[in-house]
Amino acid sequence: MDIGTGFGLAAAETHWWGNASGDSGSGNTAPRILVNPTDEIGARNNPHGISNPTPVDDAYDYNKDRLVNLTDQIYVRTHTTTPFNCVVMITR
Ligand SMILES: [Ca+2]
Ligand SMILES: [Ca+2]
């Protein structure tokens, strides 16, 4: 989206947005954002149940139910990406 002028910017800015649902921020090699076993293992190693719910921004709570459990692991497993279909950060 070209923001253009009128927002107090010195020059026009262009922004892109993407969503790599199931990515925890780990196991990535820039510029690729991969959803892979590293993200699944992260959920497995950082469990949260009803007695210790996560904050809303927990990296491993992929379905944002404040729990990190088998559901999150399965979510990653069924949304895995490869270098050919993953989100790629664009730099200019
Ligand atoms: Ca990842
Ligand atoms: Ca969850």
Side-chain angles (χ1 to χ4, degrees):
M1 177 170 67
D2 187 356
I3 299 292
T5 58
F7 291 90
L9 302 173
E13 289 273 335
T14 302
H15 297 259
W16 289 271
W17 286 276
N19 183 14
S21 184
D23 174 55
S24 65
S26 60
N28 302 322
T29 302
R32 291 178 172 75
I33 307 298
L34 289 165
V35 178
N36 61 22
T38 300
D39 303 299
E40 181 181 348
I41 291 167
R44 188 183 317 147
N45 291 339
N46 295 280
H48 284 266
I50 57 173
S51 63
N52 65 339
T54 67
V56 70
D57 60 348
D58 188 279
Y60 304 109
D61 181 15
Y62 302 118
N63 65 352
K64 299 303 177 195
D65 64 357
R66 301 192 65 206
L67 308 173
V68 178
N69 54 25
L70 186 59
T71 300
D72 299 291
Q73 295 173 41
I74 291 171
Y75 186 88
V76 172
R77 200 176 307 159
T78 57
H79 293 82
T80 300
T81 60
T82 70
F84 302 105
N85 67 359
C86 69
V87 171
V88 178
M89 294 185 285
I90 300 169
T91 58
R92 293 180 72 175

